[in-house]
Every structure is written in C-alpha cells, then in structure tokens.
Amino acid sequence: METRNLTVKQVSYCLFLSIFVIFSFQAHFSEAETHYREFVIQAKPVKRLCRTHNTITVNGQFPGPTLEVRDGDTLVIKAVNNARYNVTLHWHGIRQLRNPWADGPDRVTQCPIRPGRSYTYRFTIENQEGTLWWHAHSRWLRATVYGALIIHPKLGSPYPFPMPRTEIPILLGEWWDRNPMDVLRIADFTGAAPNISDAYTINGQPGDLYRCSKQETVRFPVGSGETILLRVINSALNQELFFGVANHILTVVAVDAAYTKPFTTSVIMIAPGQTTDVLLTADQTPGQYYMAARAYNSANAPFDNTTTTAILEYKTAPCNAKKGKQSTPIFPRLPGFNDTNSAIAFTSRLRSPSKVKVPLQIDENLFFTVGLGLINCTNPNSPRCQGPNGTRFAASINNMSFVLPKRNSLMQAYYQGQPGIFTTDFPPVPPVKFDYTGNVSRGLWQPVKSTKLYKLKFGAKVQIVLQDTSIVTVEDHPMHLHGYHFAVIGSGFGNFNPQTDPARFNLIDPPYRNTIGTPPGGWVAIRFEADNPGIWLMHCHLDSHLNWGLGMAFLVENGVGKLQSVQPPPLDLPRC
C-alpha cells in the first residue's frame, strides 16, 4: 500500500514538473515579440549648411527610425523603395543565423530592391543584446540611410552595470553639401579619391561650429546626479572619429553589442561600423557642456578637418542674465587628428567581462594583407585616370580587388547552383611575400580584379591575421565581418611575426567585435568558429575603400541537418 502511494506521488510530482516546465517554456517565448515595420526609402528635402538637398531618407527621417527590441524578438521590416536608386538594407552586427537572405549587402546575399519594388526582411535576434545599427548597403546610400538598432535584454535580465536613468543613441555621421551618389559617380569616372565630406553630424545635425546650423544643434537635457547611457554609433561613411564630452568621464561598458570590463576614459575612438556604450554621470557644475566628435585620420590623405557638436544641458543650468541667453558651452579636449597613440591606447583597454571560449585548435590559419593599390592606365592623361601619377585608385585583400557580380548575387547563385558567378580559390596568404609595411616595390602596387570566395567547412575554427600595408599609405582599416562576431586576440605594429607574436595573444578575456581596425602600419588577429552557414562579406567599412575592392567573402558550407543548414530563401527575394 505504501509502495502504491509512493508511486502515485511520484507520478503526480512528475506530471506537475512537466506542466511547470511546459508553462515556463511557453512563458519564456511569450515574452518575445514580433515587430512589424515599414521602411519607405524616399527622397525628401533636407536643409543643412544653408542649402536644401533632395536627400534619400527612410520614412522621411534623417537619420532613420530607431528600432528598439529585446533579445529573442523577431523583426519583419518591409522595405519599400520609392527612391530613384537601387537599394538594400543591412542590419549591422545581427548574426542572421542560417539566414543570409536578411543580411542585405547588394549583390552578395541579395539582388537590389529596384525603384518601385519592395522586399521584406525577416529575422530573429538570438542571444544578442546591446547597441547595433542598420544602414543601406548599396553604393553610397549609407551616407543618409541609417539608424540605431537597440537590443534590450530579455525581460527580467538586468544590465551588468548600474541601471541608467535614461538612454540616448548618439549617431555620428558625415554630410556632403551635394548628392553623395554624385560624389561617388564622379570618383568612379575619374579614378581619383572622392571629395571629402563638408561636415560631421550628431543625430543628423552638424552643430554650433558650422554655418546655418546653430539653431538646430542637438541638445540633451539631464538632471544633476543622473547617470545616462550613451549608445555611440559611428555611422560616418569614411572617417574614424574621436568623441568626448567636456568635463565628464565616460565609463565604457560595451562595444559592438558585447559587454566589456568597465573602464573610464575622457575620449573614445570609434571607427565606421563600430558602436560603443558609455555611462556618463551628470556630476559637474550645472551648465552646458559640448559633446563633440572630430577626425582620427591615420592615412596620409585629405580628410574633413571639422568638428561636430551637440550640447549636454543640465536642467538647472543658470542663464546669462545680461544677455538673456544661456552661456557658451564648455568644449572637450580631443586628441589631434593624427594621434594614433591615443587611438591605440583606447582600443587596447577593451576586454570581455570574464573568461571567454576562444578557439584554441585552429583549422584555418589565414593571413590577409589589406590596403590600397593603384591601377595603371594605358593612357595616363585621360579623364578616367586622375589618381596619383595618372593611375586609378584600387584596394585589395591578398592582392585580390573584389568585384561584385552583375548577373546575380553570390548567395543566390550558390543556392541555385548557377556557375560562372564566382570562384572559391581566394588565396589564404598573399600570393607574393614582401615587406608589408616597408618600402614596397611598385610592381606589387597593382591588384588583380576578381570575384573569389574562401570556402570554410561548418564548425571550422578560424584565425585571421589582418596585415596593413604601406602601399600608397598605411591606414587603420576598420574590417567588418558579416554574420559573425569574433574575438580580437592581439595586435601590433610592423609586420606580423608568426614565430613570436602569438605568444602575446590574449586567449583569456579578449573583446568580441564585429568590426575591428588594423593599426596603421600594423596587424590585428581575430578568431571565430564558422558556425553560421551561408556567404558572408568581409570588407573595409570605409565605403570608398569597399568601392575600390577592399573586400572578400567567405562561403561557409552547410553542416549536418536542418539546424546547421541555410534556410530556404523567401519568395519575395529580389531578382537581378
């Protein structure tokens, strides 16, 4: 009898436990939401620097709408192209697991959305939280088509730092006093470098230091003692930037939607494509304080040497009684434009909060030289050869200057089995070994134009050393890998030494990123596991360099079964 009662109790307990697990499982997923949005890409009059331009915007906004979601949420975003250019949208930093069809780079994972057409991006956030962003990924439309993508933790999951009173997206951008697409078109024709921008912007506004801009300068009111979270995004097309807030200390807590060991600084360096989350406490004398951004220029090349500002404004700041106006804001101390030491000092302090799982046994050990080049012309004096000494600018990885296909996208061609669009013989090392940061022979300055991919088996453990070169000029190239985040395990100046440099690798708590710069005249090493099948672009996030060919793509093969294979393409995927 006792045995029977015990059995009944066990069955009842198991039944109760099963019901509890089922309801807990349902409750967990009931928290996740599906966000339906429509993004209408259209031209709209936008006035900056005293002039009005017919600017490509999203839903009439510049910058575009901010997306706020939670980890686990799904986004369904219908992109309607009412502009006169082909367009695609990229969700920068979203891993898009098994779903390259939603990634967005033109001619890589999709054909463009043509004028008058639409395409719906569908993707789910999986185990990601923090600050990312979205932007056009076709030609130079990214100059004005971009916005913040903020991923909050799941309900009940707190931040790993003190809860801020408010959160403010800070989108740093560039503005041309002309149509950016025309700037690119002229550069494409002449082969010369494109004209530099006329202003930098914070949330779309240049700020007090530019003509006709003071009235629209962005202001952020704060209360004394409040802690705010600044979600800083470098949306600029071609320029790395220093950013700071006068008299205020910034506590860095995350980069590229990955938390970091907190550390304090007065200035951050942020490259196009990167995001940096900082806490700021309003602990100064009530008043007005400029937040400002200006160029970090690591190359021997022209750049926009202006400064954009916004105002951090204490709600209890006194007014200037005599003039009836508020006093002039205090200006932050920012490094000089060529202060590489300050840039490296900032990035070298980034660490993951705790020990992370870094691949230790490497299956694919890749060495990529990245940098500029020049294409020789048969008629150096022609209008189409206006680069240095009658050449045309180019850029490459391992001397391969990436050419996007015209007949189809890479991913569609691969999925459909269409031959002749690409090859899979991208070189794992430079075809010719040379002194990468020394005096390079002019015979090595001209790259080969090609559409080559590098094939990876599913699950392969990958290490890539990205080596800057001194061809044309050394430069900090911010390299972005789609579909992945990676551990940044080491960096240094000069040529990478495979015998001695790996001894200095950080395999304990390296930071995770989706975009990382090569130190000018130096190298950076990253590792990741190829656990996301599909074709994924890797490229310099200086868009003029991508246009010149500084990119390549990985073809990550399917693994075993449905959960390790690319999902079928959506029915409305655009066709070339």
Side-chain angles (χ1 to χ4, degrees):
M1 187 70 175
E2 289 180 2
T3 303
R4 181 176 179 278
N5 289 339
L6 182 62
T7 303
V8 170
K9 288 180 180 179
Q10 287 176 332
V11 170
S12 299
Y13 174 75
C14 290
L15 182 61
F16 169 78
L17 186 63
S18 299
I19 293 172
F20 176 78
V21 169
I22 291 171
F23 275 100
S24 298
F25 184 80
Q26 289 177 337
H28 171 75
F29 280 93
S30 66
E31 293 175 356
E33 294 183 35
T34 299
H35 302 263
Y36 295 91
R37 300 290 292 272
E38 184 172 81
F39 277 15
V40 180
I41 298 104
Q42 59 188 348
K44 180 193 174 185
V46 175
K47 186 176 182 180
R48 298 291 187 274
L49 308 180
C50 312
R51 297 177 62 186
T52 299
H53 296 277
N54 223 18
T55 300
I56 306 301
T57 65
V58 172
N59 296 350
Q61 300 176 41
F62 169 66
T66 293
L67 296 172
E68 288 200 58
V69 300
R70 292 190 180 275
D71 182 20
D73 286 358
T74 295
L75 289 92
V76 180
I77 301 176
K78 182 179 181 180
V80 180
N81 186 5
N82 287 344
R84 60 190 178 105
Y85 304 105
N86 292 339
V87 70
T88 65
L89 297 178
H90 171 52
W91 318 94
H92 187 111
I94 298 295
R95 290 215 53 203
Q96 304 289 8
L97 295 173
R98 303 188 303 109
N99 185 22
W101 314 112
D103 192 43
D106 189 2
R107 308 284 173 161
V108 177
T109 59
Q110 69 168 95
C111 298
I113 307 168
R114 302 200 178 276
R117 305 281 182 86
S118 66
Y119 173 52
T120 301
Y121 294 90
R122 300 172 177 87
F123 56 93
T124 299
I125 312 294
E126 299 185 54
N127 299 315
Q128 290 187 269
E129 55 188 70
T131 305
L132 294 173
W133 63 303
W134 59 268
H135 60 80
H137 211 301
S138 41
R139 308 289 284 169
W140 271 25
L141 290 180
R142 182 168 78 80
T144 56
V145 177
Y146 61 83
L149 201 175
I150 297 170
I151 308 170
H152 296 287
K154 292 179 179 178
L155 287 172
S157 298
Y159 293 134
F161 48 79
M163 187 70 179
R165 178 66 179 269
T166 55
E167 303 181 8
I168 303 174
I170 304 290
L171 292 105
L172 309 176
E174 279 181 282
W175 178 263
W176 276 260
D177 196 17
R178 66 205 78 187
N179 183 351
M181 294 291 276
D182 289 342
V183 175
L184 178 62
R185 179 178 53 80
I186 292 170
D188 281 347
F189 179 82
T190 64
N195 286 344
I196 61 174
S197 58
D198 297 286
Y200 300 117
T201 58
I202 295 178
N203 290 1
Q205 293 293 343
D208 283 2
L209 306 184
Y210 297 90
R211 66 185 186 274
C212 304
S213 302
K214 193 175 182 68
Q215 295 301 316
E216 284 75 34
T217 297
V218 181
R219 294 173 180 268
F220 301 109
V222 295
S224 291
E226 291 180 355
T227 296
I228 60 176
L229 178 65
L230 301 180
R231 299 179 177 272
V232 187
I233 302 166
N234 189 343
S235 318
L237 208 63
N238 293 316
Q239 190 61 60
E240 294 173 303
L241 296 164
F242 287 119
F243 171 86
V245 182
N247 290 16
H248 288 75
I249 295 298
L250 308 176
T251 301
V252 177
V253 293
V255 292
D256 292 0
Y259 294 119
T260 64
K261 279 189 175 75
F263 67 91
T264 58
T265 181
S266 61
V267 65
I268 67 172
M269 193 285 285
I270 184 167
Q274 293 181 334
T275 70
T276 304
D277 291 0
V278 298
L279 293 172
L280 177 151
T281 300
D283 56 4
Q284 297 300 299
T285 302
Q288 294 181 312
Y289 299 85
Y290 276 131
M291 59 176 64
R294 72 181 182 202
Y296 164 52
N297 192 60
S298 59
N300 182 20
F303 68 100
D304 180 353
N305 194 18
T306 62
T307 302
T308 181
T309 57
I311 297 174
L312 187 74
E313 187 173 59
Y314 282 65
K315 296 173 184 176
T316 55
C319 293
N320 187 322
K322 291 183 179 180
K323 297 183 179 179
K325 297 179 181 179
Q326 293 175 323
S327 58
T328 301
I330 300 170
F331 203 85
R333 296 179 61 182
L334 296 177
F337 72 87
N338 58 354
D339 192 344
T340 292
N341 289 337
S342 289
I344 297 299
F346 172 76
T347 56
S348 64
R349 296 179 68 187
L350 295 169
R351 294 284 187 276
S352 287
S354 58
K355 181 177 172 59
V356 296
K357 188 179 179 181
V358 181
L360 300 178
Q361 301 298 320
I362 300 302
D363 303 308
E364 297 279 358
N365 200 345
L366 308 176
F367 183 79
F368 287 177
T369 54
V370 298
L372 304 184
L374 298 173
I375 301 291
N376 295 324
C377 294
T378 54
N379 182 7
N381 296 320
S382 73
R384 295 188 62 82
C385 294
Q386 298 299 303
N389 300 315
T391 61
R392 293 180 60 84
F393 270 109
S396 67
I397 300 178
N398 280 356
N399 204 47
M400 301 293 146
S401 189
F402 195 57
V403 178
L404 292 171
K406 290 184 172 60
R407 290 188 291 139
N408 206 349
S409 78
L410 298 172
M411 188 64 216
Q412 287 162 285
Y414 173 60
Y415 196 86
Q416 297 161 3
Q418 181 182 3
I421 302 297
F422 62 86
T423 60
T424 56
D425 55 346
F426 188 88
V429 296
V432 177
K433 188 176 180 180
F434 59 96
D435 182 2
Y436 310 113
T437 56
N439 189 14
V440 183
S441 166
R442 285 296 180 113
L444 296 173
W445 284 40
Q446 180 161 301
V448 176
K449 293 189 176 234
S450 64
T451 308
K452 296 178 182 290
L453 278 57
Y454 192 88
K455 188 181 292 186
L456 295 171
K457 290 188 178 298
F458 184 91
K461 311 299 191 295
V462 184
Q463 175 177 293
I464 308 175
V465 174
L466 298 161
Q467 172 72 61
D468 184 32
T469 76
S470 57
I471 297 174
V472 182
T473 178
V474 298
E475 188 164 4
D476 189 331
H477 295 279
M479 301 298 294
H480 173 47
L481 176 59
H482 290 229
Y484 287 87
H485 61 247
F486 47 76
V488 183
I489 58 173
S491 64
F493 288 102
N495 296 333
F496 175 74
N497 187 323
Q499 279 71 48
T500 60
D501 285 329
R504 300 187 290 114
F505 284 173
N506 176 9
L507 303 179
I508 305 300
D509 60 352
Y512 271 86
R513 306 216 68 155
N514 60 56
T515 306
I516 188 63
T518 58
W523 56 271
V524 64
I526 66 174
R527 287 186 183 179
F528 63 95
E529 181 179 347
D531 59 358
N532 191 11
I535 291 179
W536 305 103
L537 184 65
M538 185 176 193
H539 66 96
C540 181
H541 223 276
L542 308 181
D543 274 28
S544 60
H545 294 184
L546 173 58
N547 189 59
W548 291 336
L550 213 171
M552 55 83 63
F554 288 104
L555 193 168
V556 181
E557 296 179 303
N558 286 337
V560 177
K562 183 178 179 180
L563 295 180
Q564 295 183 359
S565 301
V566 171
Q567 66 188 43
L571 296 177
D572 64 337
L573 187 68
R575 298 181 180 180
C576 291

